[in-house]
Each structure stands twice: as structure tokens, then as C-alpha cells.
Amino acid sequence: MRDYDDVLAQPRRRRTVPEVPAEPDLVVETADGGFCGAVVALDKAIVAGEKRDTVTLEDRFGKRRVFAMLPASFLLDGQLVTLVRPAPAAAATTTPARTASGSYAVRNAPARVARGSRIWVEGIHDAALLERIWGDDLRVEGVVVEPLDGIDDLVTRVQEFAPDPQRRIGVLVDHLVPGSKESRIAAQVRNPHVLINGHPYVDVWQAVKPTALGIERWPDVPRTVNWKDGICAALGVSDPREMWRRVLASVDSYADVEVPLLRAVEELIDFVTVTAGGDIL
């Protein structure tokens, strides 16, 4: 005897689609599989006569498309989701708070004009990680972090900047170890108003503790393979941008990164915020 559904019974509960904040660099795919990209902007537009939230996605080739943030319109890790605007930051508490770098937060500090001094980093990932940990401190101090897109032209860039006691440069360099290309380039810069600091890791990704990512250790990558591509392949992530999103999202404070990076950045901040005479700029 066959079993039949009772049409008068309580209807089954429909599967709910989770809402996911459309954070920058979140990689999603449209529900129809027609486009996959990272979140680069949120906006509003008139869609079918109604004003709706929209999201701009950028694929791995740099192509951008705008989509309405309609319910169940995107896939995240193969699961149907609804993208929503991220919630506003929680209001500050009245108790003393610390920044991600471990220093005491300065509440209601007035905006400070940027100093003439700069901290240079190799790329946008380095800059994003510094912002993640030291962003509050750097804004209070008025220090600007600028990505260089590599340090091959470091000597020329320093000459063009013409550093002096009031306009210092701190440079953060990846893989600054004896015998490396980076160490040879750094050795060519001889200026008392320039401090070059670095860490031993091949890429700033590796300066994030693997435990923060939930892995035992960073995979070994042969020298013949691009390090980031090798890491993505070993960890089963197809898009390097998605891997970087996971790396950055795993960092909540200075406790999530290795000591050599912490030491290097703290020394650079001290260097660019103190005059040759030892006074705070």
C-alpha cells in the first residue's frame, strides 16, 4: 500500500536561505552560475521600478558587473545565500578599549593631517594587513601607508622622495633574509632618514599564524611554483583572492600574526613618528 501525503496536514517548512553580509572581497557566484567575483562596492539603483541595494562584483580578470541584492540570488561555497549590507559597527563602549595592535584606543580624536613621513609596503595585501592591525594607531599618528607594487625600483623611489629629518620613510619588505634579492636591493639604500625592516616570510600571507586559519602549518611550495598559487592549490582554493579574503578575515589582532612582522612594523612606526632629535613629530 502506497503512502500519500495528507494535503490537509501542516505544510512543510520551506528551507530558509541564510543572509550573508556583503563584506569587501567576499567571493560569490550568481545563482544562475553566470558570473563569479569579489565584492568591490555596494550601492542603490532602481530595479523593476523599485529602489534596491546593489552589489558590484569583480571577476579574476578585472571585469565588473552590478547585480541587485535580491533574495537567494547568489551562491557562497556552492550554497544559496542572500547578500545583505554589513551591519554598522557597534557603538564604542565606555570602558577603556585596546586597538587590534594592543595599544589603548584614543576616543574622539580629531582628524590629523597626514605627516610628511611615509611607511612603504610591497603591495596591497601588506597594506590591508597593516590597516587590520595598526589602522587605528596610524590614523591617530597621521601616518600614511603606501603600497609600492614591489621593491625593484626602491632606490629610485627613495631618491625621488628625497627624505629628510621631517620626511622619513619606513619600508616593510617581505623575505628580507641574507642572500635574497630583497636584501640586495635594501643594501643599496643608504640614507639616515630611511629605515628598511622586514620579515623572513616569502609573502605577508605567511606572516599570519597558520593556527588563525585553522591549519597546522603553511604548506611547503617548491621554488619553481608561484608561492600564492602553490598555497591555493595545496589548500584547495581556486581563486587567490578568495584565499586572501580568508587569510585577512582570520586576523583579529596582533596575536594572530608572527612576532617578526610585529617587531618590524612597530619599529617602522616609531621611526617615522620621531624626529632625528628624538621628539614626537
Side-chain angles (χ1 to χ4, degrees):
M1 182 176 178
R2 293 181 60 188
D3 292 329
Y4 293 92
D5 291 334
D6 184 351
V7 297
L8 298 180
Q10 184 72 19
R12 294 178 181 176
R13 183 176 297 176
R14 298 181 63 183
R15 180 171 65 113
T16 59
V17 177
E19 293 185 344
V20 176
E23 301 283 359
D25 293 330
L26 176 71
V27 177
V28 294
E29 184 179 3
T30 54
D32 62 3
F35 194 84
C36 179
V39 174
V40 294
L42 297 178
D43 209 334
K44 289 184 178 291
I46 302 299
V47 179
E50 296 183 24
K51 193 171 186 179
R52 292 185 176 274
D53 289 328
T54 63
V55 59
T56 302
L57 302 181
E58 180 181 286
D59 68 13
R60 63 191 307 174
F61 305 107
K63 181 179 179 182
R64 295 190 175 191
R65 288 186 60 184
V66 180
F67 299 92
M69 294 166 64
L70 301 175
S73 294
F74 300 91
L75 295 171
L76 177 63
D77 296 329
Q79 295 187 347
L80 205 61
V81 299
T82 297
L83 290 185
V84 297
R85 285 183 173 269
T93 62
T94 56
T95 56
R98 290 182 178 269
T99 67
S101 70
S103 61
Y104 283 107
V106 179
R107 299 299 183 189
N108 303 316
R112 181 166 185 170
V113 177
R115 300 176 185 270
S117 299
R118 294 288 185 268
I119 290 180
W120 289 350
V121 296
E122 290 201 45
I124 57 174
H125 291 179
D126 307 74
L129 189 57
L130 263 64
E131 167 62 26
R132 186 85 171 183
I133 301 175
W134 290 277
D136 291 336
D137 308 76
L138 293 170
R139 278 184 287 278
V140 169
E141 297 291 350
V143 176
V144 175
V145 175
E146 296 179 345
L148 293 177
D149 194 21
I151 63 165
D152 288 351
D153 297 324
L154 181 60
V155 174
T156 301
R157 294 290 297 271
V158 169
Q159 292 173 345
E160 292 173 346
F161 188 87
D164 59 40
Q166 303 302 321
R167 299 176 69 250
R168 293 181 163 195
I169 303 173
V171 188
L172 180 67
V173 178
D174 299 338
H175 201 221
L176 192 62
V177 297
S180 68
K181 179 192 75 172
E182 291 81 3
S183 66
R184 291 192 294 271
I185 294 173
Q188 298 176 43
V189 178
R190 298 181 179 88
N191 190 302
H193 311 303
V194 178
L195 175 63
I196 299 177
N197 263 357
H199 54 75
Y201 310 110
V202 175
D203 189 276
V204 76
W205 290 17
Q206 200 178 17
V208 175
K209 292 180 179 178
T211 51
L213 277 160
I215 58 177
E216 184 176 345
R217 64 183 181 87
W218 285 101
D220 295 324
V221 177
R223 292 187 178 183
T224 55
V225 177
N226 176 277
W227 192 83
K228 288 179 180 176
D229 292 340
I231 289 297
C232 290
L235 296 179
V237 180
S238 60
D239 189 342
R241 291 187 305 181
E242 169 62 15
M243 186 65 228
W244 168 243
R245 185 186 72 81
R246 297 184 188 182
V247 172
L248 189 62
S250 72
V251 177
D252 293 319
S253 75
Y254 69 94
D256 295 319
V257 297
E258 303 287 1
V259 171
L261 176 67
L262 293 174
R263 183 183 298 118
V265 175
E266 293 287 350
E267 289 178 358
L268 292 176
I269 294 175
D270 288 344
F271 181 78
V272 300
T273 55
V274 179
T275 64
D279 299 323
I280 298 296
L281 286 171

